[in-house]
Amino acid sequence: MQNNYDNQIVFGGFFARFAAYVIDSIIVWVTLLCIRIPLYFVFLHINGHILFHYTLKDIVLYLCGVSYFVLCTYYTGTTIGKRAMNLQVINANGGKLSLFNVIYRESIGRFLSGICMGLGYILVGIDQEKRGIQDILGDTRVVYRGRREKNVYQTKNPIQ
């Protein structure tokens, strides 16, 4: 007997995604700490601001942090935190993520989600498909991994 729960995509909810983000933030923080120490000595004598009040060191650290999310999401569809919570980022139509959509989602989308007291992230708990601003802009969905693979297989091959 097969129930309907196995035949549908289950979107990742707010608390599962929040827990995944906390895990990923800890990983990025430790990695950036290891990068920050050598950068301190490299940029010791450079004090100029490049973009608004950000220095070159700030920009390098930001790009390193974003690259973790972009590379993991693009190549595996998940980060270490999402993998721990059994979540995966997919395209809206179930296909492979494009590099442009991942970069747009992980940089501009996350910035816009957090700019106004995190309202873009709170939208995950309200939206029917559990999408935040970053998901809407990147045309992505965050789903539970096992459920998605079964659903895509059954959608492509309905006879079995």
Side-chain angles (χ1 to χ4, degrees):
M1 183 172 172
Q2 198 172 13
N3 59 22
N4 289 336
Y5 184 73
D6 290 335
N7 291 329
Q8 59 184 333
I9 292 176
V10 180
F11 298 104
F14 176 80
F15 291 108
R17 291 176 67 172
F18 179 72
Y21 184 72
V22 168
I23 293 169
D24 288 331
S25 295
I26 292 169
I27 292 169
V28 169
W29 182 80
V30 169
T31 304
L32 290 181
L33 183 64
C34 295
I35 294 172
R36 189 178 305 247
I37 294 169
L39 282 181
Y40 175 76
F41 295 108
V42 171
F43 292 109
L44 187 62
H45 302 292
I46 301 174
N47 292 329
H49 299 294
I50 293 178
L51 183 64
F52 302 112
H53 65 277
Y54 297 107
T55 63
L56 182 60
K57 182 177 89 172
D58 296 331
I59 294 169
V60 168
L61 289 173
Y62 171 76
L63 290 176
C64 289
V66 168
S67 66
Y68 165 78
F69 290 100
V70 169
L71 294 175
C72 287
T73 304
Y74 179 69
Y75 286 112
T76 64
T78 185
T79 59
I80 295 172
K82 283 186 181 76
R83 185 170 299 211
M85 300 306 295
N86 199 27
L87 297 171
Q88 184 173 13
V89 181
I90 61 169
N91 198 344
N93 60 8
K96 182 166 172 32
L97 297 168
S98 72
L99 183 60
F100 177 76
N101 280 353
V102 172
I103 291 172
Y104 195 61
R105 176 186 193 274
E106 298 297 340
S107 59
I108 296 171
R110 284 191 185 270
F111 173 76
L112 292 176
S113 289
I115 197 167
C116 189
M117 296 184 303
L119 290 177
Y121 293 118
I122 294 172
L123 187 61
V124 171
I126 299 169
D127 187 57
Q128 183 178 5
E129 293 182 348
K130 307 295 183 196
R131 297 176 301 166
I133 299 280
Q134 69 277 13
D135 298 315
I136 294 169
L137 291 176
D139 201 25
T140 58
R141 307 291 185 270
V142 178
V143 297
Y144 285 97
R145 289 174 7 151
R147 309 274 191 250
R148 178 200 159 263
E149 292 167 1
K150 188 179 289 186
N151 189 39
V152 170
Y153 176 75
Q154 289 179 354
T155 305
K156 290 182 180 178
N157 198 355
I159 297 173
Q160 292 186 1

